[in-house]
Amino acid sequence: MPNTPYLHVDLERLDRNILRAAEWASTNDLTLRPHAKTHKSPRIARRQISAGAVGLTVATIGEAEVFAESGMTDLFVAYPLHVDDQAAGRLGALAYKARVAIGVDSVEGATLAGRMVGRYGVEVVIEVDSGHHRSGCRPSEAGLIATAATSSGSTVRGVFTFPGHSYARDGGVTAAVDEARALSTARAAVEDTGIEVAVVSGGSTPSLDHTRTETITEARPGVYVFGDAQQWELGVMDSQEIALTCRATVVSHAGGRAVLDSGGKVLAADRAAFNTGGGRLLDHPDARITLVSEHHAVVDMGEAPLPPLGSQVAVVPNHCCAAVNLAEYLWVDEKGGMRPWAVAARGRNS
């Protein structure tokens, strides 16, 4: 048994979450390409592929390298990469092991990608902004970027977006509508140039159930495998679906509150505007983490009694992806006992 604090995975819940998304995709005649930045674990990736996922989405070349080494053969870096000499060398090496695509969102970026990695067979997918306003071109500009990519030696796979504004109260429906509109416009813009669009890719965990499935061909949710306090508080997942928690020990009752040994160095510091605290306690839904420092989490238990000193509680991080990136292992209850699963892609941020 590991010492606290550590990240624990409920394997039964994990597998149910994986199967639910796979069945949703199959029912709607979509391909599923889950975002592996959530778990960074080849063992979980294999479970997703076994359930029907066509490949993986990743955030960085480093993540792609880890999953390629573990046998994953279809990888999409859903990020507008700036392909310099170093990145080109790494992508070229990856392309010998797997089918690889990268994101582009400008004429300059697409031209550079074509010149640097087109000869390796690295495909490009054009990112469009559907309302999150982070990266991505205007949907109407996708045709110009597609033309630049093909003229420079790249194969254009299609278009994609991240409807990140689904991470708001009642944001899932609006984000899904915006996603469909943006992707439809982008697809038409590319096809008007004579370039075929094979993939129209979207999806986020909060918007998944609202996705306009007649518009997209591929979905890329990530957080659905674990759930977290964000999904819980948005009403996307309930507490019985959350598969990842941080096991923490009650170390103090100072000030009439429960103080845990799970600080920001294990929970991460993410806190969205709608989050009601620094995390939740899985078995005490009215409790709230009111303060997170490096090695302390202070909990207001509400009307519930204080857990005894030395007892353990299950903390639901606000953002599971950020918490996982801080952990070397996920501890999983398997037949025969608890086993460590390596977070093999942790820290692979470039």
Side-chain angles (χ1 to χ4, degrees):
M1 184 74 67
N3 294 322
T4 63
Y6 64 90
L7 296 186
H8 173 265
V9 174
D10 184 312
L11 188 57
E12 183 178 343
R13 292 184 181 188
L14 173 74
D15 284 339
R16 283 204 307 264
N17 293 341
I18 289 173
L19 184 60
R20 174 183 174 270
E23 290 178 341
W24 173 86
S26 178
T27 298
N28 289 288
D29 197 26
L30 302 175
T31 57
L32 184 67
R33 185 181 294 276
H35 210 313
K37 75 176 179 66
T38 296
H39 55 73
K40 305 185 192 299
S41 165
R43 296 190 66 166
I44 295 177
R46 292 189 192 103
R47 299 177 97 86
Q48 292 174 312
I49 298 296
S50 294
V54 297
L56 298 177
T57 303
V58 295
T60 68
I61 298 173
E63 289 180 355
E65 289 167 336
V66 169
F67 286 108
E69 286 294 331
S70 70
M72 303 294 109
T73 59
D74 194 333
L75 301 166
F76 171 36
V77 185
Y79 193 88
L81 292 178
H82 176 76
V83 186
D84 57 15
D85 288 339
Q86 185 181 58
R90 294 170 70 190
L91 288 167
L94 264 174
Y96 284 106
K97 301 174 183 177
R99 184 187 183 200
V100 179
I102 64 173
V104 296
D105 71 351
S106 67
V107 168
E108 181 182 1
T111 300
L112 186 62
R115 289 174 179 170
M116 299 294 280
V117 296
R119 64 185 178 274
Y120 300 126
V122 175
E123 299 171 272
V124 299
V125 191
I126 298 161
E127 183 180 13
V128 300
D129 179 10
S130 59
H132 186 43
H133 305 319
R134 182 177 65 184
S135 56
C137 68
R138 295 177 182 174
S140 60
E141 296 173 348
L144 292 174
I145 296 171
T147 299
T150 56
S151 297
S152 303
S154 285
T155 297
V156 175
R157 181 182 294 182
V159 295
F160 81 103
T161 193
F162 173 58
H165 52 311
S166 61
Y167 280 84
R169 297 285 186 192
D170 302 316
V173 174
T174 298
V177 171
D178 292 344
E179 172 186 64
R181 183 184 302 115
L183 288 173
S184 295
T185 299
R187 178 174 194 163
V190 174
E191 290 179 337
D192 283 347
T193 70
I195 298 171
E196 180 184 358
V197 173
V199 172
V200 179
S201 182
S204 69
T205 297
S207 64
L208 197 64
D209 286 339
H210 309 291
T211 300
R212 300 304 197 258
T213 56
E214 71 279 6
T215 300
I216 73 168
T217 66
E218 175 183 274
R220 307 184 326 276
V223 176
Y224 77 95
V225 292
F226 290 147
D228 54 22
Q230 290 184 349
Q231 306 304 319
W232 189 2
E233 298 199 334
L234 288 173
V236 175
M237 300 176 72
D238 64 38
S239 61
Q240 300 305 307
E241 296 173 303
I242 292 173
L244 178 90
T245 56
C246 173
R247 295 298 169 88
T249 297
V250 181
V251 296
S252 174
H253 286 164
R257 301 165 300 177
V259 182
L260 313 179
D261 62 358
S262 57
K265 286 189 172 179
V266 64
L267 296 178
D270 284 24
R271 181 171 177 174
F274 58 82
N275 278 129
T276 58
R280 301 284 296 272
L281 300 194
L282 187 66
D283 301 318
H284 300 279
D286 294 329
R288 292 296 185 276
I289 296 179
T290 58
L291 174 65
V292 177
S293 55
E294 286 186 85
H295 296 285
H296 302 73
V298 179
V299 186
D300 182 342
M301 295 299 299
E303 300 299 319
L306 288 172
L309 289 175
S311 64
Q312 291 187 11
V313 295
V315 182
V316 182
N318 278 338
H319 185 190
C320 62
C321 307
V324 167
N325 195 46
L326 298 173
E328 186 174 3
Y329 296 105
L330 304 174
W331 289 87
V332 184
D333 286 314
E334 297 186 274
K335 291 182 180 179
M338 191 177 292
R339 300 283 187 269
W341 289 10
V343 185
R346 70 183 294 255
R348 298 298 295 268
N349 296 324
S350 63

